[in-house]
Amino acid sequence: MATFNVENLIARHRFGTAARIETAAAMSLFEFSSKEHREAVERSVAVALEDDKRQMTALAIAEAHADILCLQEVDSLSVLEAFFANYVHRLADKRYGHFRLRHGNDVRGIDVACAMRRDLVAGPGAVRATSHAELTFRDLDVFDDDLAAMGRLETDRLFQRDCLMVDVDLGEATLTLFVCHFKSMSNGRDDGRIATRPLRRAEARAVRRLVEARFGPAVAEANWLIIGDLNGCEETIGPGARVIAEGESGLEPLTHGFAVNPLADLPAHERWTHFRRAWSESEGHIVERHMQLDYILLSPALAAANPAPEVEIVRRGLPYRVPLDPRQENRSLAALATSCDRYPRVGWDRPKASDHCPLVVGIDLPARRNPTQA
């Protein structure tokens, strides 16, 4: 199993005349006879850079080597299929199909999706996807005072993107995936994590209720996963692998006594999938944090069958500005540039595969068929 936030797979390309930060360095070297000429060249440079990014995204997917792959920030089903046909399948030794995507609620048009190895299942009804994008806070009874204080209404849609439920018939066993992409921790201010937490908490409560409604009394014995970019963490890792308690994340309805996070057993310096370096108004200086934002949460039954699952986090597509080992105290350019092998043409900040890492968890699936969905 793998989850990967591919960071605006196709929406990276900006049409129109808006300035493109990624092309500024190259464009500064030339003079142009007209504005139109400049814009045409800038578009060409942007397309070339974006092609590099997608090549790296495909490399990361190929390295993940997953049988089932869940993605976030995909623009449409046609984009997903074209990306695999023209990028992933030219690099990977697995062929994917059974693509599932439903349009969700994100205003940028980025959705969650699922792809599987073509020969993993057989038959047109072996993979069934159900969207929950239209559910409101009231529908799942997760509205509270914190949401009201944010200006939200009970009748608002509760999922920032979607919770895509995918039922997979593998013959002797069935598996149900709940593919998610929760509200981000950024709100343009230093308090983004706390200010946006009520929305993640509501999404986490909602997903738990969907899982419980799907399986009823058999919820602990069923084969299910909650998988995706949940955008929350109770701890971060600072320079020198210093563990920093961050308090409530909003994910507690899922991570405390309901599902099992296999990364919890890893050493602190290994359990991260995202890096953030930004100015902190509250601390008065640049803050560096490694954190786990991407999750593959196992049902109690899957956790019992896999007490020590194999975990891999693919980091070679990250830009060189990211220290790949939080234990590294020397954050100089020279130290970072030699810290680890990266994909060809990875840059200091861009191009890169994504700002997230693919998270891969290998599981043995018990020969158990989930209850039929009502």
Side-chain angles (χ1 to χ4, degrees), residues 9-10 12 50-58 83 87:
L9 184 61
I10 203 73
R12 296 167 176 171
E50 289 148 7
D51 185 70
D52 276 348
K53 295 176 188 176
R54 281 186 277 277
Q55 293 276 4
M56 294 169 195
T57 305
F83 173 65
Y87 288 88

Side-chain angles (χ1 to χ4, degrees), residues 186-249:
S186 174
N187 67 343
R189 304 196 308 269
D190 194 33
D191 65 344
R193 181 180 180 278
I194 296 173
T196 58
R197 184 170 58 200
L199 289 169
R200 284 188 299 282
R201 185 172 59 228
E203 289 181 294
R205 288 173 176 168
V207 172
R208 178 166 179 165
R209 293 187 180 179
L210 289 173
V211 176
E212 291 171 335
R214 170 69 176 82
F215 299 110
V219 66
E221 290 76 41
N223 294 332
W224 51 265
L225 297 166
I226 299 167
I227 183 168
D229 177 3
L230 304 188
N231 268 317
C233 58
E234 295 179 10
E235 67 176 25
T236 56
I237 312 299
R242 178 169 57 98
V243 178
I244 302 161
E246 299 286 0
E248 291 186 1
S249 65

Side-chain angles (χ1 to χ4, degrees), residues 71-108:
L71 303 171
Q72 301 84 50
E73 300 198 15
V74 181
D75 306 73
S76 67
L77 184 60
S78 61
V79 164
L80 180 66
E81 292 174 335
F83 173 65
F84 271 80
N86 295 297
Y87 288 88
V88 177
H89 289 162
R90 297 187 180 189
L91 298 168
D93 58 1
K94 292 190 177 184
R95 292 295 177 268
Y96 292 90
H98 312 289
F99 299 108
R100 296 294 184 273
L101 181 149
R102 302 288 186 270
H103 285 302
N105 299 320
D106 192 285
V107 295
R108 294 175 293 166

Side-chain angles (χ1 to χ4, degrees), residues 27-209:
M27 298 300 292
S28 69
L29 302 177
F30 303 96
E31 294 183 359
F32 299 94
S33 57
S34 67
K35 178 181 177 182
E36 291 74 18
H37 186 196
R38 178 186 173 85
E39 289 174 354
V41 173
E42 188 172 24
R43 285 194 294 270
S44 298
V45 172
V47 168
L49 291 175
E50 289 148 7
D51 185 70
D52 276 348
K53 295 176 188 176
R54 281 186 277 277
Q55 293 276 4
M56 294 169 195
T57 305
L59 278 170
I61 290 173
E63 187 176 350
H65 203 68
D67 297 304
I68 299 177
L69 179 65
C70 298
L71 303 171
Q72 301 84 50
E73 300 198 15
V74 181
D75 306 73
S76 67
L77 184 60
S78 61
V79 164
L80 180 66
E81 292 174 335
F83 173 65
F84 271 80
N86 295 297
Y87 288 88
V88 177
H89 289 162
R90 297 187 180 189
L91 298 168
D93 58 1
K94 292 190 177 184
R95 292 295 177 268
Y96 292 90
H98 312 289
F99 299 108
R100 296 294 184 273
L101 181 149
R102 302 288 186 270
H103 285 302
N105 299 320
D106 192 285
V107 295
R108 294 175 293 166
I110 55 173
D111 299 313
V112 299
C114 188
M116 302 179 194
R117 205 181 72 225
R118 285 179 184 171
D119 60 347
L120 188 66
V121 299
V127 180
R128 293 181 292 112
T130 304
S131 170
H132 296 100
E134 295 187 359
L135 293 178
T136 67
F137 295 109
R138 177 187 292 169
D139 290 332
L140 292 180
D141 192 24
V142 296
F143 195 75
D144 59 23
D145 291 342
D146 289 336
L147 291 168
M150 297 177 67
R152 302 286 170 148
L153 303 176
E154 287 188 86
T155 53
D156 289 343
R157 293 188 178 187
L158 72 90
F159 288 114
Q160 301 303 294
R161 285 90 181 183
D162 195 2
C163 174
L164 184 68
M165 184 175 71
V166 183
D167 287 294
V168 187
D169 188 340
L170 296 163
E172 293 184 356
T174 52
L175 178 66
T176 302
L177 316 174
F178 294 85
V179 189
C180 303
H181 185 189
F182 287 178
K183 172 63 180 175
S184 74
M185 293 190 287
S186 174
N187 67 343
R189 304 196 308 269
D190 194 33
D191 65 344
R193 181 180 180 278
I194 296 173
T196 58
R197 184 170 58 200
L199 289 169
R200 284 188 299 282
R201 185 172 59 228
E203 289 181 294
R205 288 173 176 168
V207 172
R208 178 166 179 165
R209 293 187 180 179

